[in-house]
Amino acid sequence: MRCPYCGNLEDKVLESRSMANGESIRRRRECLACGYRFTSYETISEKPFMVVKKDERREPFDREKLERGIERALEKRPVSINTVEQIALEIEEIAIKRGKENREITTTELGDIVLEKLYNIDKCAYIRFASVYRHFENLEEFINEVKNIEKRGKTNE
């Protein structure tokens, strides 16, 4: 560690403390050349979890963006904000588990997870989300999706 006073690279650690529930370490150091004492902090630098878009672009996973999409699908539906937050947390956990190896997940996989969660909570929200996610272009596609919901409901009984 370079001394901020004289620039020497040799120092000794006088004291180390774990900070922020083990998220970082605070170290008191003393420069061996000039005796100046200073503090350094160490933190883990993790690669962010990424979402791979259909055009191969990558962007950091954003739970708030996910929540906004779920909220939109559930707009004016009898579902609490706490439920939306819980769904988003569950989806984030599932996504991170599925993309653990390379720290990324495709939007297709992420959208399928959202649809699965919405299907179990509110069928109207499921259709709303599916219409945007799957780019429904006409009434026929809506009708087919509703029929698929009816079929799934009958097979689960």
Side-chain angles (χ1 to χ4, degrees):
M1 182 71 58
R2 184 182 305 276
C3 173
Y5 190 72
C6 72
N8 184 43
L9 291 174
E10 294 183 37
D11 65 58
K12 68 178 177 180
V13 175
L14 303 173
E15 172 190 7
S16 291
R17 280 194 195 162
S18 180
M19 307 276 297
N21 296 325
E23 297 291 320
S24 65
I25 297 175
R26 175 185 176 269
R27 297 193 195 279
R28 286 293 293 155
R29 298 176 180 270
E30 182 177 17
C31 176
L32 295 177
C34 69
Y36 183 76
R37 291 183 174 196
F38 58 99
T39 303
S40 67
Y41 295 90
E42 292 178 28
T43 58
I44 295 172
S45 177
E46 287 190 41
K47 181 179 166 189
F49 189 72
M50 303 298 280
V51 176
V52 181
K53 303 291 219 167
K54 288 182 179 167
D55 64 0
E56 298 298 315
R57 285 181 302 119
R58 285 166 170 72
E59 67 179 44
F61 178 85
D62 184 354
R63 190 173 70 232
E64 289 177 13
K65 186 176 178 180
L66 177 65
E67 282 181 20
R68 284 192 305 271
I70 295 168
E71 283 173 3
R72 242 195 200 138
L74 289 164
E75 199 170 315
K76 298 184 182 179
R77 301 299 300 157
V79 178
S80 72
I81 292 295
N82 289 339
T83 303
V84 171
E85 290 171 0
Q86 185 61 38
I87 294 167
L89 282 171
E90 289 172 13
I91 292 168
E92 182 178 20
E93 282 179 22
I94 292 167
I96 289 171
K97 283 179 187 172
R98 287 191 188 172
K100 189 173 187 168
E101 191 172 303
N102 51 4
R103 303 222 17 98
E104 61 185 32
I105 190 167
T106 64
T107 54
T108 303
E109 288 177 284
L110 192 57
D112 289 342
I113 297 167
V114 173
L115 283 174
E116 185 180 316
K117 289 290 182 185
L118 288 176
Y119 180 84
N120 295 325
I121 290 175
D122 187 290
K123 305 301 186 270
C124 287
Y126 170 88
I127 291 292
R128 285 178 179 172
F129 191 86
S131 70
V132 173
Y133 167 64
R134 294 188 177 145
H135 307 289
F136 289 178
E137 293 183 12
N138 56 46
L139 186 59
E140 232 8 77
E141 293 179 63
F142 275 96
I143 293 169
N144 288 337
E145 195 62 40
V146 171
K147 286 179 182 176
N148 288 338
I149 288 175
E150 289 174 347
K151 286 177 191 174
R152 278 175 73 177
K154 288 178 183 174
T155 58
N156 290 338
E157 292 175 355

